[in-house]
């Protein structure tokens, strides 16, 4: 094992200078190609006139299949999924080719709003780093992506004046990149990355801020300090006061305070574990041991069905073999470290034991816990009053060494949903309504905590609350949370077998204090919400489904499932619609392939016990064992062509997310109804289904 005390630490110089070109990620395919292949350098004015790409997701920076690599090879691939319009034809194109960025000599990459949204995959900034990118500029930058850049040593900024200084080859003060950072982030940037900073921290060479004194507006919280939100209460409990002595907890925290916080659970899946393991073995030592392996979990859930989705061309290129090495590396590292791995099912079944988010909520999460995971949908577990959030590869690897995670306490905003919803309106419809609000669409919610509250939220089951906390990732939020309450107690007792007295003790105090501070309160009337769909390209493209039914959008695929919609109550919704369809003598539309995928073996057995598996089979839906699958372009249910249309109850529909086609996001009720009628449609209790005529037939 490497002696960490002997590893040299070198801080960055006070000024930095960069030699290389600036790549403007513009929404103009010919201009992108000109920069990449004709050595043309744009000015900032030209780039802004052409339109910098907004809403660039990590799926576009490194499409899923690129993430099968987890070493410097990633430098050949950044921006391969990036979409840009052709101003003459109006067609959307993918102008970036393999090797183009690395061979172009670029040192800085510039984009518009919400750069790096979506998946927490650290492969995206690592690919940029390995391609030569040292500075990332954006009008706004998503929280996880930004932290991943900082952890790797990439400098980030929203100050566009930096660009001209880079182009002129100026010496730029490092403080330009740290001026708005908290004390810990500033030092991470100065040390060139998270691991290097942690080495200094373990040697007592850095300054760690303490919690500010409580007070605020003078209103008393539950302990006499400032009133706190439920999330702030968790952070206050988990604040690392003295890591060596194991001392935790401060009276109160405030937004903007930065520290390290003790984790209760750390989990990762096969997309991330291998890269983290490589970092761990290279920097800490081949024989080093993960700290407290009992609180670490690994999952083989993302790529279990990849062989059913990968094209023959990519298989022949060896990508399936590359992807399978992720499973091997994770399994070997788990065995070496004595870490619990939820792997593939044993025997004749093909599939995972569980999707990570599903299993964490089913068996592990408790109110008041702090949970980190290698996936942007880690907030799933916030449904029962814990703080759960996604982190990148470097943060996971560092947590194996320290058992803590660095956080700058985010501000919270609250969504209060009141009123009585229609019987066909679900938590997914609530989310699609929230995602189209200007506050979210314009990026104001980036990095904040979204707390869901109000009578309509309190009336939801834990499964439905998990849909909302899960999709905090699509909001761009730090995490999502619902205060623990009586429904939480019932869930812990009935679903988890927790002793009632212990469940009630866990729930106690896990609610926001009166007078807690929120930067924004959004009020929504549930009775005004109708079944919704998000149009292809972004979960924020929400419309009422009735607006689509006047000119029906034919579908070829209906995919029901994923971590967001593969829970027990989601299965109840699919079954309810299918039973009504069966009573009318109908089954899945002849032009539609319908897939139903659950989140865990536990959910599958629930479906078996309730007769759902037989029902789904009778109506022509294909049952898929647990796994992520089509939601990440890695299983049955993906589109194969740009003109193919699918409808899904998953969480996001960024370009290329589930194949090259057009993906509409809807609720579980609506995806089942759409499968029956052959077009994107809502469901109403007791309705008469009206399927479209099958292609080439006069009637159905």
């Amino acid at each position: 094992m490497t002696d960490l005390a002997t590893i040299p630490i070198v801080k960055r110089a006070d000024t930095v200078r960069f030699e290389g070109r600036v790549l403007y990620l513009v929404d103009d395919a010919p201009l992108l190609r000109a920069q990449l292949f004709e050595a043309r350098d744009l000015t900032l004015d030209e780039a802004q006139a052409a339109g910098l790409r907004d809403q660039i997701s990590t799926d576009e920076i490194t499409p899923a299949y690129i993430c099968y690599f987890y070493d410097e090879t990633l430098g050949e691939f950044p921006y391969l999924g990036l979409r840009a319009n052709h101003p003459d034809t109006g067609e959307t194109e993918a102008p970036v080719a393999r090797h183009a960025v690395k061979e172009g000599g670029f040192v800085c990459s510039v984009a518009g709003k919400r750069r790096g949204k979506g998946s927490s995959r650290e492969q995206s900034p690592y690919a940029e780093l390995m391609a030569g990118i040292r500075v990332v500029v954006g009008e706004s930058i998503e929280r996880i992506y930004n932290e991943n850049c900082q952890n790797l040593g990439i400098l980030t900024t929203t100050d566009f004046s930096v660009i001209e200084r880079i182009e002129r080859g100026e010496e730029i003060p490092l403080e330009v990149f740290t001026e708005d950072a908290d004390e810990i982030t500033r030092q991470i940037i100065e040390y060139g990355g998270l691991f290097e900073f942690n080495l200094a921290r373990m040697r007592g060479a850095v300054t760690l801020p303490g919690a500010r004194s409580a007070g605020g507006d003078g209103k008393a919280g539950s302990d006499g300090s400032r009133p706190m939100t439920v999330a702030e209460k968790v952070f206050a409990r988990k604040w690392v006061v003295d890591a060596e002595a194991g001392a935790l907890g401060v009276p109160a925290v405030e937004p903007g305070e930065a520290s390290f916080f003790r984790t209760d659970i750390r989990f990762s899946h096969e997309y991330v574990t291998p890269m983290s393991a490589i970092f761990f073995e290279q920097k800490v030592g081949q024989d080093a041991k993960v700290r407290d392996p009992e609180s670490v979990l690994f999952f083989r859930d993302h790529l279990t069905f990849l062989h059913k989705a990968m094209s023959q061309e990519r298989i022949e290129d060896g990508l399936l073999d590359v992807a399978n090495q992720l499973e091997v590396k994770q399994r070997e590292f788990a065995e070496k470290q004595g870490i619990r791995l939820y792997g593939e099912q044993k025997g004749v079944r093909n599939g995972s034991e569980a999707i990570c988010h599903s299993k964490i909520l089913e068996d592990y999460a408790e109110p008041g816990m702090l949970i980190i995971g290698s996936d942007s949908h880690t907030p799933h577990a916030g449904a029962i009053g814990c703080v759960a959030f996604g982190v990148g590869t470097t943060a996971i690897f560092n947590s194996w060494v320290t058992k803590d995670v660095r956080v700058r306490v985010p501000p919270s905003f609250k969504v209060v949903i009141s009123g009585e919803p229609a019987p066909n309106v679900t938590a997914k419809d609530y989310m699609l309504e929230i995602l189209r609000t200007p506050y979210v669409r314009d990026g104001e919610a980036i990095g904040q905590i979204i707390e869901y509250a109000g009578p309509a939220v309190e009336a939801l089951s834990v499964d439905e609350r998990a849909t909302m906390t899960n999709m905090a990732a699509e909001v761009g939020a730090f995490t999502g949370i619902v205060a623990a309450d009586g429904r939480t107690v019932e869930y812990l007792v009935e679903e988890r077998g927790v002793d009632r007295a212990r469940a009630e003790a866990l729930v106690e105090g896990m609610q926001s204090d009166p007078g807690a501070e929120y930067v924004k309160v959004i009020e929504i009337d549930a009775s005004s919400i109708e079944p919704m769909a998000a149009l292809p390209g972004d979960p924020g493209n929400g419309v009422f489904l009735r607006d689509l039914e006047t000119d029906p959008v034919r579908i070829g695929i209906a995919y029901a499932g994923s971590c967001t919609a593969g829970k027990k109550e989601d299965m109840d919704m699919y079954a309810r619609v299918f039973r009504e369809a069966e009573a009318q003598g109908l089954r899945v539309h002849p032009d539609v392939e319908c897939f139903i995928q659950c989140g865990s073996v536990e959910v599958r057995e629930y479906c078996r016990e309730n007769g759902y598996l037989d029902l789904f089979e009778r109506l022509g839906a294909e049952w898929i064992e647990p796994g992520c699958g089509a939601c990440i372009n890695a299983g049955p249910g993906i589109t194969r062509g740009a003109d193919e249309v699918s409808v899904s109850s998953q969480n996001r529909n960024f370009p290329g997310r589930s194949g090259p086609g057009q993906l509409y996001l809807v609720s579980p009720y609506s995806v089942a109804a759409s499968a029956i009628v052959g077009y994107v449609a809502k469901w109403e209790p007791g309705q008469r289904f009206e399927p479209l005529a099958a292609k080439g037939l006069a009637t159905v």
Side-chain angles (χ1 to χ4, degrees), residues 194-195 198 201 260-263 265-268 276 280 290-292 295-296 372-373 391-406:
L194 179 61
F195 178 70
N198 268 328
R201 178 164 71 108
F260 284 84
F261 296 86
R262 181 58 47 85
T263 62
I265 297 170
R266 298 158 283 164
F267 73 85
S268 56
S276 293
F280 186 83
V290 167
R291 183 174 177 182
D292 189 20
S295 63
V296 178
I372 61 171
V391 297
T393 303
T394 302
I396 283 289
F397 140 58
N398 275 268
S399 79
W400 293 346
V401 179
T402 66
K403 203 183 174 183
D404 57 28
V405 63
R406 64 114 171 182

Side-chain angles (χ1 to χ4, degrees), residues 348-370:
V348 298
R349 295 188 181 278
N350 178 234
S352 306
E353 292 182 75
I355 299 174
C356 50
H357 316 299
S358 301
K359 183 52 62 177
I360 294 298
L361 182 56
E362 285 176 356
D363 285 0
Y364 293 97
E366 294 178 350
M369 277 189 170
L370 192 148

Side-chain angles (χ1 to χ4, degrees), residues 556-571:
I557 294 172
Y559 173 73
S562 81
C563 59
T564 313
K567 307 178 296 297
K568 291 178 181 178
E569 188 158 348
D570 300 311
M571 297 296 148

Side-chain angles (χ1 to χ4, degrees), residues 485-508:
D485 60 9
R487 284 187 179 268
T488 310
V489 171
E490 296 308 314
Y491 175 83
L492 292 171
V493 172
E494 296 174 8
E495 296 292 330
R496 298 265 294 272
V498 175
D499 176 76
R500 181 171 292 276
R502 181 169 183 271
E504 291 174 346
L506 288 171
V507 166
E508 186 176 357

Side-chain angles (χ1 to χ4, degrees), residues 300 304-305 343-346 349-353 625-627:
R300 161 68 164 173
T304 319
F305 295 94
E344 298 182 49
Q345 296 185 57
K346 306 297 183 183
R349 295 188 181 278
N350 178 234
S352 306
E353 292 182 75
E625 291 293 309

Side-chain angles (χ1 to χ4, degrees), residues 244-316:
E244 188 173 354
L248 305 177
V250 293
V253 299
E254 298 179 22
E257 292 185 304
S259 184
F260 284 84
F261 296 86
R262 181 58 47 85
T263 62
D264 293 288
I265 297 170
R266 298 158 283 164
F267 73 85
S268 56
H269 51 65
E270 78 269 40
Y271 253 136
V272 171
T273 306
M275 191 171 171
S276 293
I278 291 294
F279 288 175
F280 186 83
E281 291 170 344
Q282 288 177 344
K283 296 190 175 188
V284 185
Q286 287 287 335
D287 298 324
K289 294 300 181 182
V290 167
R291 183 174 177 182
D292 189 20
E294 291 77 16
S295 63
V296 178
L297 298 165
F298 291 162
F299 292 86
R300 161 68 164 173
D301 59 359
H302 274 55
L303 302 177
T304 319
F305 295 94
L306 181 61
H307 62 286
K308 293 190 174 185
M310 184 175 284
S311 68
Q312 187 60 35
E313 179 183 4
R314 286 183 178 164
I315 292 174
E316 292 174 0

Side-chain angles (χ1 to χ4, degrees), residues 210-522:
R212 291 192 291 266
S213 60
D217 59 6
K219 297 179 182 177
S222 56
D223 62 353
S225 64
R226 70 178 291 272
M228 290 189 289
T229 67
V230 60
E232 289 167 352
K233 290 182 179 182
V234 177
F235 282 122
R237 291 182 180 185
K238 303 298 180 179
W239 185 297
V240 177
V241 177
D242 186 331
E244 188 173 354
L248 305 177
V250 293
V253 299
E254 298 179 22
E257 292 185 304
S259 184
F260 284 84
F261 296 86
R262 181 58 47 85
T263 62
D264 293 288
I265 297 170
R266 298 158 283 164
F267 73 85
S268 56
H269 51 65
E270 78 269 40
Y271 253 136
V272 171
T273 306
M275 191 171 171
S276 293
I278 291 294
F279 288 175
F280 186 83
E281 291 170 344
Q282 288 177 344
K283 296 190 175 188
V284 185
Q286 287 287 335
D287 298 324
K289 294 300 181 182
V290 167
R291 183 174 177 182
D292 189 20
E294 291 77 16
S295 63
V296 178
L297 298 165
F298 291 162
F299 292 86
R300 161 68 164 173
D301 59 359
H302 274 55
L303 302 177
T304 319
F305 295 94
L306 181 61
H307 62 286
K308 293 190 174 185
M310 184 175 284
S311 68
Q312 187 60 35
E313 179 183 4
R314 286 183 178 164
I315 292 174
E316 292 174 0
D317 285 342
L319 282 177
L320 185 59
D321 293 333
V322 172
N324 287 337
Q325 287 305 304
L326 294 171
E327 184 277 329
V328 174
K329 179 62 178 176
Q330 177 174 251
R331 175 163 40 84
E332 291 177 348
F333 191 73
E335 292 171 353
K336 182 178 179 179
Q337 295 288 343
I339 291 170
R340 172 72 160 98
L341 168 64
Y342 285 92
E344 298 182 49
Q345 296 185 57
K346 306 297 183 183
V348 298
R349 295 188 181 278
N350 178 234
S352 306
E353 292 182 75
I355 299 174
C356 50
H357 316 299
S358 301
K359 183 52 62 177
I360 294 298
L361 182 56
E362 285 176 356
D363 285 0
Y364 293 97
E366 294 178 350
M369 277 189 170
L370 192 148
I371 298 169
I372 61 171
S374 67
D375 196 290
S376 60
H377 294 108
T378 300
H380 190 97
I384 58 172
C386 61
V387 170
F389 54 96
V391 297
T393 303
T394 302
I396 283 289
F397 140 58
N398 275 268
S399 79
W400 293 346
V401 179
T402 66
K403 203 183 174 183
D404 57 28
V405 63
R406 64 114 171 182
V407 175
R408 182 179 186 177
V409 178
S412 294
F413 77 103
K414 184 161 63 172
V415 176
V416 179
I417 308 179
S418 305
E420 187 70 26
N424 58 352
V425 168
T426 70
K428 183 62 166 288
D429 300 301
Y430 292 163
M431 285 310 304
L432 295 181
E433 176 66 24
I434 291 167
L435 286 164
R436 71 173 182 169
T437 61
Y439 190 74
V440 174
R441 283 289 292 170
D442 294 343
E444 298 295 326
I446 292 175
Q448 298 179 358
I449 296 171
I450 178 171
E451 181 179 332
Y452 304 102
V457 173
E458 294 166 6
L460 294 174
S461 67
V462 168
D463 272 2
E464 281 282 80
R465 295 176 184 186
T467 295
M468 300 186 73
T469 55
N470 177 291
M471 291 187 68
E474 281 59 59
V475 171
F478 176 90
T479 191
I481 194 167
V482 178
D485 60 9
R487 284 187 179 268
T488 310
V489 171
E490 296 308 314
Y491 175 83
L492 292 171
V493 172
E494 296 174 8
E495 296 292 330
R496 298 265 294 272
V498 175
D499 176 76
R500 181 171 292 276
R502 181 169 183 271
E504 291 174 346
L506 288 171
V507 166
E508 186 176 357
M510 284 295 97
Q511 304 83 33
S512 296
D513 291 326
E517 297 176 6
Y518 299 93
V519 294
K520 177 79 171 179
V521 176
I522 298 173

